[in-house]
Amino acid sequence: MEKSIAKLRETFKNGGTKSISWRKSQLKALLQLINQNEDSIFKALDQDLGKSPVESYRDEVGVLKKSVTYTLSCLEKWVAPKKAEVPLLFFPAKAEVMPQPLGVVLIFSSWNFPFTLALDPLIGAISAGNTVLLKPSDLAPACMSFLVETIPKYLDNKAIKVVAGGADIGERLLQLKWDKIFFTGSPRVGRLVMAAAAKHLTPVTLELGGKCPAIVDTLSTTPSKAKVTAKRIVGGKWGPCNGQACIAIDYLLVEEKLASALIELLKKTIKRFYGENIKSLKSISRIVNEHQFQRLVNLLKDPNVADSIVYGGSVDEEKLVIEPTILLDPPLDSEIMSEEIFGPLLPIITLKNIEESINFINSKSNPLVIYAFTEDETFKKRILSETSSGTVTFNDSMVQFLCDSLPFGGVGQSGFGRYHGKYSFDTFSHEKSILHRGFYPEIEPRYPPWTDFKLLFIKLAYEFDYFGLILLLLGFKRS
Amino acid sequence: MLMENKAENKAVFDAESAKEVVKELRDSFVTGKTKSHRWRVTQLKAMLKMLDENEPQIVAALRDDLSKPEFESSLYEIQMLKNSCRLALKEMNHWMMPEKAKTSLTTFPSSAEIVSEPLGVVLVISAWNYPFLLSLDPVVGAISAGNAIVLKPSEMAPASSSLIAKLVADYLDSSCIKVVEGAVPETSALLEQKWDKILYTGNGRVARIVMAAAAKHLTPVVLELGGKSPVIVDSNINLKVATRRIIAGKWGCNNGQACISPDYIITTKDYATKLVDSFKCELERFYGKDPLESKDLSRIVNSNHFDRLSKLMDEEKVSSKIVHGGQRNEKNLQIAPTIFLDVPVNSLIMKEEIFGPLLPIITVDKVEQSFDLIHSSGGKPLAAYLFTNNKKLKRKFVETVSAGGLVVNDTAVHLAIHSLPFGGVGESGMGSYHGKFSFDAFSHKKAVLYRGFAGDAFLRYPPYTPGKLTLLQALLSGSIVGIIRALLGWFWA
């Protein structure tokens, strides 16, 4: 493994990844990989997670195609140095900021969106001109194997490598020196990654998680808006990998008096989307493995929690299926309300007044996303200014992921750093400052021996008080 | 709560004390006080007033700690800080405004923006060589972004540290901005706490400790470190101007004790003698025949560093290479500007960051070989400099040398240009600040997407059918032609 990394370093040193044409060729090859292997990708996702082709396209294949295409169209613009303003004092001078690749980067991806979370950062790393080692999650083994086998067939092996393995491989990789580490996963492992990176002063981007709340304030508007709200909530909870997503809705906040109406709407929508009972569930992913299954089942073991179930609750251990489950006001100190759920269980917390949702959200650590279904402009402003999260999405769920112009990342416990679109390019670049000066004219007062006159001159110069400078030079100012 | 050396019983600043400080600041932050534009403006104006009204005291503290010449104190510590405050006051409104983001057909109808919000309670740990600048410049950034702040100045500049503590308490809002003085125990106590951001200026060894401590709380960090900043000197240049500018960036910046000071020079064998002669001439013009008598040079900060630098000078294969200077006064902690010619590349002076008034000159046959030398020297430095009139050389320099910042035909001045981000890469650090970059460093850029209820794409939702797949492909591609085609296909199917 150390040999592979030495090779990556050598390739980088020799400038193999510098040229725009190399970067473009790799991105085009990646697009080809996706286009030519769609069926295999669908198959692997079905095998690992039970994802249907539409979900796989919507959340993985389509997203990636869009990302590569966008990057290809913008790459030349992003790579170009940007001019920076220089004060007159320094004339003649030229200042600019030039993006440069960081070098050899390590990308850790997660199991729930095994293609998107591996390849979207890869797109950023390639576009910025780095060499890359990609370590996909072994908890999605079919997808991992696919990446290990297929990437070498399309991309430049000297610059981009994929390594298979589990936590032990991950640990070994973390002992080595990288120029950047990009990690998607849990806060617990995020700490380990950052601690390991500290030994080499390696900058990191951590895309973590949290409990993404959805504030529901649109049930008493029009019936059609209420319906759309319900669809978007259901789509935002069980749509992305059956709730196993960092940006899935974790829990809902709604006013007491509207709770039953909400539950009815949700039930109807769930039945329409996914089916009536656990035996006939369709269009929904399964739980990834036994360990996660048990974890979720345990969340429901607490009798107070089990009592609060108002819909669903059935599980099928053999098929690793848990049906969409709604809970009404489980105890706030239960594990289901303190840990990120990452599964198909949806607690609804009722409040006397919807404005209380702000305090409720603030009592927990900063999530990746806050969703708010409301048309009250004042409330929207309050949510924006009084809560903190990676992103805020009003009146929808999930779609912010598709916005290439919005940075995607967390704050506080949900992580730091960001990507998507140009932010991916930036996250794998170093912005180098460059100042060009001429030899003339010279500002004599810079140099010792220093006198009161020189001091005054420099003070005026620093304040860009050009008029004062002229006066001083003409003898009208005294030191 | 803060460490007081005056009484017999020292009040110890331990983890408990640190926790209390953070709690107090967090309570202040939660009230929304630091978020208001008015608070930020009053604090920055108060800082300007503080600098205006205490210039002599600041200059005196710097003279105590570093024998820093008044000119340097005034220019690099006070003036630059004032400029920073003024820029923030002028631009803050603009910086605080949300930035509109484009949305595509895929999420139509929608609008998007990026909103800057303060991170919360931040820790600034500063260094001893520019004790005021490196403490308060980050504080300016943190204030402008609306945070509550703890500042830990360096104990190796004790007069400055205690003056900073006093002035901040007198002029700024103590419920939101505090100074904690002390050394390793106090810093460790602070590092155990949960911060929303840490900005550390110093060396790589301690930076690793800071980042490891930050990792426990998933705290993002900015690390402003150092490295060996090389200067490549080509021939066919205005040698006098180049020499003076190198001197200004080296000995004119705290006597070489600055993170962006030229560390060593690379020039051609043919040019070396001319360069050395030029240095001798200009150094004498600036500092006189006996530089130890000059009032315009800082001293070495303490005996540890004096000994460290002496060791570098006295290494056997190095001491014989002195071509200028070498005078020392251990009692006064002074070392004169000293130039070495052709020390071995594996000597100590060429391995570690010098951070002092010693300047090795390495010679190569052709100036282009400098780049190989720089690349093989290990970590990426904070700055790199080139003096040349050759366009091709400039181009190669700019494209291939990796450093925090590059300057062609000058040294150090890029520090003063606020439109350039100031920070390192690799061993010289991560993150950047100055100007708007300071504001950004202490902000969270929150993405906000506004959607309406019209235009709910039914094909997002199950039951998933092959027809929906086709439509979805079109929608995600964002191409209107594709979408129309797919829709028509859907309707006509």
Side-chain angles (χ1 to χ4, degrees):
Chain A
M1 196 166 47
E2 280 79 352
K3 270 214 209 105
S4 295
I5 294 148
K7 191 88 193 47
L8 290 175
R9 204 162 275 294
E10 199 190 308
T11 306
F12 181 75
K13 201 162 155 233
N14 296 334
T17 58
K18 235 176 93 169
S19 72
I20 293 189
S21 58
W22 179 86
R23 306 182 202 191
K24 281 191 161 171
S25 73
Q26 295 305 294
L27 292 171
K28 289 187 177 143
L30 191 58
L31 193 55
Q32 239 191 358
L33 185 163
I34 299 170
N35 280 331
Q36 291 176 355
N37 292 279
E38 247 179 60
D39 286 333
S40 309
I41 292 175
F42 288 157
K43 194 154 154 245
L45 285 168
D46 180 47
Q47 208 174 320
D48 283 339
L49 296 155
K51 276 193 200 193
S52 87
V54 176
E55 191 182 329
S56 298
Y57 192 88
R58 185 195 67 202
D59 296 347
E60 308 234 28
V61 174
V63 168
L64 285 169
K65 280 193 196 179
K66 192 166 166 297
S67 190
V68 179
T69 315
Y70 181 68
T71 304
L72 275 167
S73 69
C74 297
L75 188 60
E76 306 224 8
K77 199 169 64 171
W78 294 348
V79 169
K82 281 196 296 287
K83 288 234 170 305
E85 225 185 271
V86 185
L88 198 60
L89 184 67
F90 294 93
F91 182 85
K94 185 177 89 160
E96 56 187 9
V97 177
M98 179 185 280
Q100 284 217 298
L102 289 166
V104 184
V105 311
L106 172 61
I107 297 176
F108 281 116
S109 71
S110 173
W111 51 263
N112 53 344
F113 294 88
F115 287 95
T116 308
L117 299 178
L119 300 178
D120 209 4
L122 180 65
I123 291 168
I126 292 174
S127 67
N130 299 279
T131 54
V132 186
L133 184 80
L134 173 61
K135 160 76 185 69
S137 169
D138 63 330
L139 298 180
C143 297
M144 180 177 73
S145 303
F146 174 87
L147 289 171
V148 170
E149 280 158 23
T150 322
I151 284 188
K153 294 194 184 131
Y154 287 81
L155 302 182
D156 181 353
N157 289 344
K158 297 197 298 302
I160 300 163
K161 294 193 190 292
V162 188
V163 76
D168 54 335
I169 299 285
E171 267 174 52
R172 269 176 67 195
L173 288 170
L174 284 174
Q175 300 308 315
L176 307 170
K177 176 170 164 36
W178 304 92
D179 298 307
K180 173 100 188 193
I181 300 177
F182 186 99
F183 172 80
T184 307
S186 72
R188 185 189 66 85
V189 181
R191 288 182 172 81
L192 298 173
V193 170
M194 190 173 169
K199 298 204 180 84
H200 300 284
L201 292 176
T202 299
V204 301
T205 293
L206 301 177
E207 297 272 332
L208 311 177
K211 289 179 81 61
C212 297
I215 301 172
V216 188
D217 188 34
T218 42
L219 291 175
S220 40
T221 51
T222 64
S224 70
K225 283 185 185 162
K227 264 207 210 120
V228 172
T229 302
K231 281 203 288 181
R232 289 176 179 181
I233 290 174
V234 172
K237 174 69 178 187
W238 294 282
C241 206
N242 198 7
Q244 300 164 103
C246 51
I247 51 172
I249 294 177
D250 189 281
Y251 64 99
L252 299 180
L253 292 160
V254 72
E255 273 179 7
E256 252 174 347
K257 57 183 198 251
L258 298 168
S260 38
L262 175 62
I263 293 171
E264 283 314 305
L265 269 174
L266 291 176
K267 281 188 194 172
K268 270 206 201 105
T269 316
I270 291 171
K271 287 183 189 157
R272 210 172 76 226
F273 284 4
Y274 307 116
E276 294 270 341
N277 63 54
I278 194 167
K279 294 272 178 263
S280 56
L281 276 185
K282 284 194 303 289
S283 299
I284 194 170
S285 303
R286 63 153 211 270
I287 307 305
V288 67
N289 59 27
E290 180 70 35
H291 172 76
Q292 290 293 327
F293 181 88
Q294 286 304 334
R295 181 185 67 79
L296 289 162
V297 162
N298 284 340
L299 291 179
L300 298 175
K301 278 218 166 82
D302 180 341
N304 292 321
V305 172
D307 280 346
S308 67
I309 296 179
V310 293
Y311 180 83
S314 315
V315 308
D316 182 337
E317 182 154 1
E318 201 197 305
K319 297 215 183 75
L320 290 179
V321 170
I322 299 177
E323 67 169 328
T325 301
I326 304 177
L327 305 100
L328 179 59
D329 282 322
L332 295 179
D333 57 357
S334 57
E335 223 181 306
I336 203 175
M337 280 314 293
S338 51
E339 297 294 308
E340 184 178 3
I341 295 169
F342 224 71
L345 318 173
L346 180 66
I348 298 178
I349 306 294
T350 59
L351 307 161
K352 288 238 170 348
N353 183 317
I354 196 68
E355 314 244 330
E356 291 166 29
S357 44
I358 290 182
N359 284 342
F360 190 93
I361 293 173
N362 286 339
S363 70
K364 300 195 178 299
S365 52
N366 298 332
L368 204 46
V369 191
I370 292 176
Y371 297 105
F373 291 87
T374 180
E375 293 194 303
D376 180 342
E377 295 300 320
T378 318
F379 190 36
K380 281 187 193 175
K381 286 202 171 72
R382 274 196 68 201
I383 293 171
L384 271 185
S385 63
E386 294 176 36
T387 64
S388 184
S389 57
T391 302
V392 177
T393 299
F394 288 111
N395 296 329
D396 209 335
S397 62
M398 306 300 295
V399 286
Q400 74 278 3
F401 199 76
L402 297 175
C403 231
D404 282 320
S405 58
L406 282 178
F408 181 76
V411 66
Q413 298 297 299
S414 49
F416 55 80
R418 56 211 188 151
Y419 72 128
H420 282 189
K422 181 173 191 286
Y423 300 104
S424 292
F425 175 86
D426 291 343
T427 218
F428 289 103
S429 299
H430 163 57
E431 304 233 295
K432 186 165 72 179
S433 299
I434 304 170
L435 178 65
H436 289 265
R437 291 264 287 150
F439 283 100
Y440 312 101
E442 266 285 73
I443 298 178
E444 288 294 327
R446 277 173 79 170
Y447 306 117
W450 289 312
T451 61
D452 286 340
F453 171 86
K454 285 186 177 180
L455 183 54
L456 185 55
F457 182 101
I458 288 292
K459 274 189 182 172
L460 290 169
Y462 254 73
E463 286 167 28
F464 306 120
D465 183 356
Y466 302 111
F467 185 64
L469 276 175
I470 294 172
L471 287 180
L472 177 69
L473 288 170
L474 291 175
F476 287 113
K477 257 196 198 301
R478 294 262 157 258
S479 31
Chain B
M1 205 163 31
L2 299 178
M3 188 175 88
E4 293 280 356
N5 269 329
K6 299 184 182 125
E8 274 285 336
N9 308 314
K10 250 196 276 187
V12 170
F13 185 87
D14 56 6
E16 263 316 301
S17 328
K19 208 159 157 205
E20 274 176 50
V21 167
V22 175
K23 182 168 181 318
E24 188 186 333
L25 289 177
R26 206 163 277 293
D27 289 343
S28 296
F29 179 74
V30 158
T31 65
K33 193 177 189 192
T34 60
K35 269 183 151 183
S36 81
H37 183 254
R38 201 174 54 180
W39 180 86
R40 306 183 203 194
V41 168
T42 22
Q43 295 310 295
L44 292 173
K45 285 193 168 150
M47 193 181 294
L48 266 178
K49 194 157 167 248
M50 174 181 103
L51 295 167
D52 274 333
E53 292 175 358
N54 293 278
E55 193 162 326
Q57 291 89 321
I58 294 174
V59 169
L62 289 166
R63 203 180 303 120
D64 271 346
D65 285 333
L66 298 154
S67 298
K68 198 174 271 210
E70 184 186 348
F71 185 94
E72 282 190 50
S73 301
S74 185
L75 177 54
Y76 294 123
E77 305 244 25
I78 299 169
Q79 287 307 317
M80 281 191 69
L81 261 178
K82 280 180 160 180
N83 268 9
S84 218
C85 289
R86 283 192 211 113
L87 182 73
L89 280 165
K90 183 163 159 245
E91 299 290 325
M92 205 162 51
N93 264 327
H94 178 67
W95 295 346
M96 283 171 71
M97 270 176 15
E99 194 191 308
K100 283 252 162 289
K102 259 175 48 180
T103 53
S104 72
L105 215 54
T106 311
T107 53
F108 181 83
S110 62
S111 70
E113 60 185 10
I114 300 167
V115 169
S116 295
E117 56 179 36
L119 286 164
V121 183
V122 306
L123 174 63
V124 174
I125 301 176
S126 96
W128 53 261
N129 55 341
Y130 288 86
F132 286 87
L133 183 66
L134 300 177
S135 298
L136 298 173
D137 205 5
V139 169
V140 167
I143 291 174
S144 68
N147 299 279
I149 305 153
V150 169
L151 167 62
K152 158 71 188 71
S154 172
E155 72 280 12
M156 281 165 60
S160 303
S161 174
S162 78
L163 182 58
I164 289 172
K166 177 177 173 309
L167 291 178
V168 167
D170 287 344
Y171 284 81
L172 303 182
D173 179 353
S174 325
S175 70
C176 303
I177 305 173
K178 291 192 190 296
V179 177
V180 171
E181 293 191 79
V184 173
E186 289 75 13
T187 311
S188 306
L190 288 170
L191 285 173
E192 272 179 51
Q193 311 309 313
K194 175 170 166 12
W195 304 94
D196 297 306
K197 184 109 187 193
I198 300 176
L199 189 146
Y200 167 78
T201 307
N203 65 61
R205 190 187 60 84
V206 177
R208 283 167 167 81
I209 298 172
V210 171
M211 190 169 167
K216 297 205 179 84
H217 300 283
L218 294 172
T219 299
V221 301
V222 172
L223 303 174
E224 297 271 331
L225 313 176
K228 292 182 80 60
S229 301
V231 186
I232 304 173
V233 180
D234 193 13
S235 35
N236 292 325
I237 53 168
N238 184 324
L239 185 53
K240 181 165 160 202
V241 171
T243 313
R244 299 171 118 204
R245 289 178 178 182
I246 296 172
I247 296 175
K250 175 82 174 182
W251 296 284
C253 284
N254 209 22
N255 205 7
Q257 301 164 101
C259 50
I260 46 158
S261 266
D263 188 279
Y264 65 102
I265 294 185
I266 310 174
T267 192
T268 53
K269 290 188 165 41
D270 292 337
Y271 205 62
T273 330
K274 272 177 107 174
L275 183 59
V276 171
D277 287 339
S278 182
F279 269 120
K280 288 186 181 184
C281 177
E282 298 302 322
L283 280 169
E284 187 176 316
R285 195 202 303 266
F286 290 174
Y287 302 117
K289 278 201 160 28
D290 188 3
L292 297 185
E293 296 296 316
S294 168
K295 295 259 171 294
D296 292 329
L297 281 169
S298 298
R299 65 157 205 267
I300 307 305
V301 65
N302 60 27
S303 48
N304 275 345
H305 280 274
F306 185 90
D307 291 339
R308 179 183 67 80
L309 290 163
S310 297
K311 207 165 134 216
L312 295 183
M313 291 167 80
D314 295 336
E315 195 183 357
E316 207 183 299
K317 42 202 172 156
V318 167
S319 55
S320 51
K321 306 286 186 183
I322 294 182
V323 293
H324 182 84
Q327 305 97 305
R328 282 176 260 196
N329 181 327
E330 187 163 359
K331 182 163 147 284
N332 296 341
L333 293 176
Q334 287 174 298
I335 299 178
T338 304
I339 302 180
F340 305 77
L341 184 56
D342 277 326
V343 296
V345 284
N346 60 0
S347 52
L348 275 175
I349 202 175
M350 281 309 293
K351 287 234 200 81
E352 47 177 82
E353 185 179 1
I354 295 169
F355 223 72
L358 317 175
L359 181 67
I361 300 178
I362 309 289
T363 57
V364 290
D365 290 318
K366 292 175 97 165
V367 76
E368 287 81 5
Q369 292 168 311
S370 333
F371 299 119
D372 298 322
L373 203 66
I374 295 175
H375 290 144
S376 65
S377 73
K380 300 172 187 175
L382 192 52
Y385 306 108
L386 168 66
F387 285 87
T388 187
N389 277 317
N390 180 332
K391 274 209 171 97
K392 263 177 80 182
L393 202 64
K394 284 185 195 180
R395 174 149 217 92
K396 183 144 193 238
F397 177 67
V398 156
E399 284 175 2
T400 66
V401 173
S402 188
L406 304 180
V407 185
V408 175
N409 293 334
D410 210 332
T411 63
V413 288
H414 60 305
L415 206 53
I417 297 182
H418 284 141
S419 57
L420 287 174
F422 182 73
V425 63
E427 280 294 319
S428 51
M430 57 181 81
S432 60
Y433 73 123
H434 282 190
K436 179 172 190 285
F437 302 100
S438 293
F439 175 86
D440 291 342
F442 289 104
S443 298
H444 166 52
K445 303 287 179 175
K446 186 158 73 178
V448 184
L449 182 67
Y450 297 90
R451 285 268 289 159
F453 283 97
D456 200 28
F458 61 93
L459 43 85
R460 284 166 66 169
Y461 308 116
Y464 297 135
T465 62
K468 280 191 178 178
L469 180 55
T470 319
L471 266 177
L472 198 61
Q473 285 164 324
L475 187 68
L476 274 174
S477 76
S479 129
I480 187 138
V481 172
I483 295 174
I484 293 176
R485 253 209 227 129
L487 277 173
L488 284 176
W490 176 271
F491 287 130
W492 287 106

